[in-house]
Amino acid sequence: MPVQGYRQLRGAMSDQPSIIRFDEYDRPSTELLGGKVAGLVEMTRSGLHVPPGFAVTTAAHSRLLQDPGMRGALERAGSFAADGATSEHVARGLREAVAATAEAESLCRRIEAEYTVLGERLGLQDPPVAVRSSGQVEDSAEASFAGQFDTYLWVSGATSVVDHVLRVWAGSLASHALSYREHRSLGSGFSPMCVAVQLMVEARTAGVMFTLNPLTGDRSQVVIEGSWGLGEAVVRGDVNPDRWSVSKVTGTVTSQELGDKAHEYRFDTLSGGVAALPVDEARRTEACLDADEIADLVTLGKQIEGLRGAPQDIEWAIDGAGRLLLLQVRPETVWAGRVRDSLKAVTKENDAVSSVISQFIGSGGVR
């Protein structure tokens, strides 16, 4: 990104907070928090069950990028990641840049302190968290950026959390993420990135839910996909999930398909991180949700759609105690995109007709 592009980040963000807590912030703007965190803050304030966490804002990223040394380190790390360099090599370069930059050093200490407070509020030492991107145009009605930015699961310890926040920022500068922006006509430049740090849910089962049928666009249906363990198995598409279609009007399950859920993502004590582990034979084709849980999900989906005024794409989890938790919410993009394309086509056609009429009148065609 050209130097002048970074200069444009100054000014507007100068008085904005660097860190906010999901449950203590009342202005969920996508400019400051990105699409993902803005949605989580909105849902938290609406009283829904969102795992607690905090966000390192776009303002913090913007201020960091004003230092040439830190900016260069993030750019190099983004290039290294794209070239398949080891994560430790990337992390070492970022840590060296932080040590040489007063702004970065101060911010990193604040992130460590906020993570410690999160643990104290939960009564946990070094709680496991997910560290996720939350871009300004990510999870919007125009684009989801699914798979374009980095997500790290079961990160534990203050130093590790800081490392992974920096890696998310570096990943936002990777070539594939910038190419996606340009391909989706979202601009060829860079925009600052917010990073979410959110308590991990030790999910018994998890998945996604659409408040319309994603295949047909039918808004009278809710479609739920789920599998055992963390939702990564469903999001990544590497298992055949269970799938239900449910009528919004009657709550009746109109179709059910039980997948062969051969593995599940969960914390692995041997590796010290999240791993895809085999599901025992008895559970592979057993439904991962019961009737009450399906009904609760449909109620949640209708509530969120009502709050946001449009069909939604929702990530959810149910923990070992049976609590339903909301992990992510974003506008549905496939059918929303088709509606926008149709409106553009109609507008273009109307403009063409207006042009012909104007030419006809101008040539004296109307007497």
Side-chain angles (χ1 to χ4, degrees):
M1 175 182 173
V3 173
Q4 60 266 29
Y6 287 108
R7 288 176 180 156
Q8 293 171 2
L9 301 176
R10 301 181 182 181
M13 290 286 183
S14 60
D15 60 346
Q16 296 296 313
S18 293
I19 295 175
I20 65 99
R21 297 173 185 169
F22 294 171
D23 60 347
E24 295 183 0
Y25 196 71
D26 59 0
R27 290 168 289 164
S29 75
T30 55
E31 181 183 12
L32 181 67
L33 303 178
K36 187 178 283 94
V37 172
L40 291 173
V41 169
E42 179 189 353
M43 294 301 100
T44 299
R45 289 185 58 77
S46 297
L48 300 182
H49 297 295
V50 176
F54 63 92
V56 190
T57 67
T58 61
H61 192 195
S62 173
R63 286 190 279 268
L64 210 63
L65 292 171
Q66 292 173 25
D67 183 277
M70 198 67 221
R71 184 176 70 235
L74 288 167
E75 287 177 329
R76 287 191 297 276
S79 299
F80 292 155
D83 292 340
T86 66
S87 60
E88 182 52 39
H89 178 64
V90 170
R92 186 166 58 250
L94 290 172
R95 282 195 292 267
E96 290 172 355
V98 167
T101 308
E103 179 75 34
E105 180 72 21
S106 173
L107 175 63
C108 291
R109 298 294 78 78
R110 292 185 63 189
I111 295 170
E112 290 180 349
E114 190 61 40
Y115 172 75
T116 300
V117 170
L118 176 64
E120 291 171 350
R121 295 175 75 191
L122 296 168
L124 299 171
Q125 184 175 1
D126 293 339
V129 294
V131 181
R132 304 178 187 269
S133 65
S134 183
Q136 292 176 328
V137 290
E138 185 180 4
D139 294 339
S140 66
E142 287 73 31
S144 70
F145 276 85
Q148 301 302 317
F149 295 138
D150 296 324
T151 290
Y152 300 97
L153 303 178
W154 226 278
V155 179
S156 183
T159 300
S160 185
V161 168
V162 168
D163 279 352
H164 286 86
V165 170
L166 293 172
R167 290 185 207 182
V168 170
W169 278 337
S172 70
L173 290 162
S175 57
H176 62 84
L178 298 178
S179 296
Y180 182 87
R181 285 180 58 91
E182 190 166 7
H183 176 69
R184 295 302 296 264
S185 300
L186 299 171
S188 58
F190 167 79
S191 60
M193 170 76 71
C194 177
V195 182
V197 179
Q198 185 177 27
L199 180 69
M200 283 293 308
V201 175
E202 194 162 359
R204 186 203 81 213
T205 185
V208 298
M209 171 170 55
F210 303 90
T211 63
L212 51 61
N213 188 316
L215 298 179
T216 66
D218 184 353
R219 292 186 60 170
S220 71
Q221 293 184 321
V222 172
V223 174
I224 301 166
E225 293 186 349
S227 189
W228 299 117
L230 300 175
E232 295 302 294
V234 178
V235 173
R236 294 182 183 185
D238 55 4
V239 298
N240 292 320
D242 297 340
R243 183 179 292 107
W244 293 267
S245 295
V246 186
S247 168
K248 280 183 186 175
V249 179
T250 65
T252 304
V253 175
T254 57
S255 71
Q256 171 183 278
E257 302 171 34
L258 299 183
D260 185 3
K261 303 170 289 295
H263 62 265
E264 61 184 332
Y265 284 90
R266 51 188 168 87
F267 181 72
D268 177 25
T269 54
L270 293 178
S271 66
V274 171
L277 302 174
V279 173
D280 58 87
E281 195 69 31
R283 284 194 305 137
R284 284 179 60 162
T285 55
E286 178 187 340
C288 68
L289 294 171
D290 63 28
D292 289 341
E293 290 166 341
I294 292 169
D296 288 344
L297 276 164
V298 172
T299 298
L300 176 65
K302 291 166 64 176
Q303 184 178 0
I304 293 171
E305 183 178 82
L307 287 169
R308 307 199 94 194
Q312 299 293 302
D313 173 356
I314 297 161
E315 292 184 25
W316 54 270
I318 296 175
D319 67 12
R323 291 172 296 195
L324 173 59
L325 297 159
L326 177 61
L327 305 182
Q328 193 166 314
V329 56
R330 55 182 168 251
E332 184 279 333
T333 57
V334 174
W335 289 94
R338 294 187 184 186
V339 169
R340 285 192 302 276
D341 290 344
S342 296
L343 290 173
K344 287 178 182 177
V346 169
T347 301
K348 186 176 181 180
E349 183 177 342
N350 288 343
D351 288 345
V353 170
S354 297
S355 177
V356 170
I357 292 172
S358 297
Q359 291 174 17
F360 181 70
I361 292 173
S363 65
V366 175
R367 304 293 183 187

